[in-house]
Amino acid sequence: GMFTVNKVYNALVHEDDPTNVLRNEWGGTCQQGQLLTQGYEQELQNGQAFRDAYVYQGDGDYGHDSKMRLLDAKTLFDNIADNIYYRSDDDQRTLMSGQIVLRGLLQQELNAYYDSKKQHPLLNLHVADRYRDILDANEEICPRLGEISQRYRKSTDYQAFLQSKEYTTLQAFK
């Protein structure tokens, strides 16, 4: 069966100390940088655009530039999990963005897979521990980033940003 999960961001709040320093940074049930509905729709369209550009039928009816042939829909279905390498960082919005792009890209194959096997395919999601990951700026791997960050934080442009109406308005939500 299937079920729905309601995420409640209160796991770090202790009854005896609601001011615990491990609290969530933002109130409510949102994560920082959460994917919005518009982002969902855009990622689905991106996947469909990738499909139009790169997926072809192996029967010779390509319908687009032969230099753009990346995925053969006929062989892709045979072992979909081995033909797709899904890599992401471990942020919810990034994971979801990747899933949605893949859905737009592979919708026909995913439906055909389910229709023939009566189960959904299992795609491996490749992630790394945040402190070792290379998909985002990482001072642990590149210490020079720390120096650059310190220099920027001392800059007049950054200091002006900290005084801006936009920044102070956002801080009021904490």
Side-chain angles (χ1 to χ4, degrees):
M2 297 183 67
F3 59 91
T4 301
V5 173
N6 179 34
K7 285 186 178 180
V8 180
Y9 287 89
N10 64 355
L12 299 177
V13 177
H14 191 272
E15 293 174 7
D16 296 334
D17 184 11
T19 62
N20 186 330
V21 295
L22 294 178
R23 69 174 179 78
N24 293 316
E25 188 168 349
W26 302 99
T29 60
C30 294
Q31 295 177 353
Q32 227 176 353
Q34 191 169 359
L35 187 66
L36 302 173
T37 303
Q38 297 92 329
Y40 183 100
E41 293 166 2
Q42 181 180 16
E43 294 296 13
L44 188 58
Q45 291 171 359
N46 287 340
Q48 292 163 344
F50 288 147
R51 179 178 188 81
D52 292 342
Y54 300 117
V55 177
Y56 66 96
Q57 302 296 322
D59 57 10
D61 181 23
Y62 303 118
H64 62 276
D65 186 343
S66 62
K67 295 176 189 171
M68 303 295 281
R69 296 179 198 153
L70 180 62
L71 298 169
D72 181 347
K74 290 187 182 276
T75 59
L76 182 62
F77 172 78
D78 295 336
N79 198 349
I80 199 166
D82 289 339
N83 287 310
I84 299 296
Y85 188 87
Y86 174 25
R87 171 68 162 100
S88 176
D89 65 25
D90 206 15
D91 289 337
Q92 177 269 348
R93 69 181 177 277
T94 314
L95 298 170
M96 191 171 185
S97 290
Q99 291 169 342
I100 299 162
V101 167
L102 287 173
R103 180 176 161 225
L105 176 67
L106 305 171
Q107 188 66 53
Q108 294 173 25
E109 289 72 27
L110 295 172
N111 289 341
Y113 187 99
Y114 183 81
D115 290 345
S116 72
K117 301 183 187 257
K118 301 303 179 214
Q119 65 181 22
H120 297 286
L122 177 63
L123 299 179
N124 290 321
L125 167 59
H126 301 274
V127 295
D129 290 333
R130 177 160 307 282
Y131 75 96
R132 299 295 304 158
D133 207 342
I134 59 171
L135 293 182
D136 197 6
N138 187 333
E139 293 179 25
E140 294 294 322
I141 295 172
C142 181
R144 179 98 167 93
L145 289 173
E147 297 168 23
I148 294 168
S149 177
Q150 285 179 358
R151 188 174 28 187
Y152 178 73
R153 290 178 189 281
K154 292 178 183 177
S155 73
T156 55
D157 287 340
Y158 185 72
Q159 294 303 314
F161 167 72
L162 292 178
Q163 302 304 315
S164 71
K165 180 180 178 184
E166 293 83 2
Y167 180 79
T168 54
T169 300
L170 182 60
Q171 293 306 305
F173 289 106
K174 281 189 167 184

